[in-house]
Amino acid sequence: MSFELPPLPYSKDALIPHISPETVDFHYEKHHRGYVNRLNLFSKDDQTLPTKSYEELIRTNYGGPRIFNMAAQVWNHTFYWNSLSPNGGGEPKGKIAQLITSSFGNFETFKTKFSEAAAGHFGSGWAWLVQNADGSLEVLGTHDAGCPITDGKKPILTCDVWEHAYYIDYRNDRARYVASWWNLINWEFANSNLA
């Protein structure tokens, strides 16, 4: 038994013109696959490791930081790919739209707050839309492999702000990458994650 790289939910060229096939290929095949491969290397020392889900490894911090970081990065990246859709973007519909309005006042306020969290994040990490236990939505950032499920928050959407997510296409212009990210948001996925 071993960990496997979850498949992309679309082809590597599906996110053009916002994210190039080269970026998707490098990000998915080198970085995402690399985290899976390292977890499998760690499994040689602990054969119970692959019997645990990524969520369990993240929630329990099983094996300490080196295993947590790899498991969280696999989970975060899988969640990121699913947060994007070639048919995404635009304003939200359904329950997510209602919760955004009740939590932030309106979509534009939410978009500004999320964009600031993503573009302004210092160093490497993630910008998240999460749902709290009371049902409200919140924007937050996590550093490195940080994942909101460690704090009991339910992830709804994420934007990867590690440089490998955008450097090929946008160089060091993270704000332009974040602006393009809005054209790909998978609101159906967001709705499916709501409690």
Side-chain angles (χ1 to χ4, degrees):
M1 181 181 240
S2 63
F3 291 100
E4 294 185 13
L5 179 65
L8 283 171
Y10 34 73
S11 66
K12 292 178 184 175
D13 64 353
L15 304 180
I16 293 172
H18 309 292
I19 300 177
S20 71
E22 182 182 9
T23 291
V24 174
D25 186 63
F26 193 83
H27 194 173
Y28 178 72
E29 296 292 349
K30 303 292 185 202
H31 291 274
H32 197 172
R33 184 178 301 280
Y35 302 125
V36 173
N37 291 345
R38 276 174 272 185
L39 269 179
N40 285 323
L41 282 176
F42 298 155
S43 297
K44 291 179 181 179
D45 296 330
D46 181 352
Q47 295 183 2
T48 66
L49 194 57
T51 67
K52 302 177 187 317
S53 70
Y54 294 118
E55 291 88 352
E56 183 181 355
L57 294 172
I58 295 165
R59 280 192 185 99
T60 63
N61 197 16
Y62 179 89
R66 75 180 192 146
I67 291 173
F68 170 85
N69 287 335
M70 296 306 113
Q73 284 294 76
V74 173
W75 194 93
N76 290 355
H77 277 87
T78 302
F79 199 85
Y80 169 72
W81 297 123
N82 284 285
S83 291
L84 306 176
S85 170
N87 302 312
E91 293 199 16
K93 297 192 179 8
K95 187 175 180 182
I96 188 70
Q98 296 164 1
L99 285 172
I100 284 172
T101 298
S102 65
S103 298
F104 301 99
N106 57 54
F107 175 69
E108 285 305 317
T109 300
F110 158 67
K111 185 175 179 180
T112 299
K113 187 173 180 105
F114 191 97
S115 295
E116 288 171 351
H121 184 87
F122 182 78
S124 299
W126 303 84
W128 299 90
L129 175 64
V130 299
Q131 189 172 34
N132 295 309
D134 66 2
S136 66
L137 299 180
E138 177 185 3
V139 170
L140 58 87
T142 60
H143 289 282
D144 303 324
C147 183
I149 63 177
T150 59
D151 296 322
K153 295 179 184 287
K154 185 163 182 44
I156 306 301
L157 288 169
T158 194
C159 181
D160 185 346
V161 294
W162 284 70
E163 283 189 338
H164 64 244
Y166 61 88
Y167 207 82
I168 292 169
D169 297 331
Y170 298 97
R171 299 297 184 246
N172 64 338
D173 192 349
R174 185 188 288 173
R176 197 160 61 93
Y177 156 69
V178 171
S180 286
W181 177 86
W182 288 100
N183 296 303
L184 298 169
I185 294 176
N186 186 344
W187 292 116
E188 287 180 25
F189 180 67
N191 272 309
S192 74
N193 290 318
L194 293 169

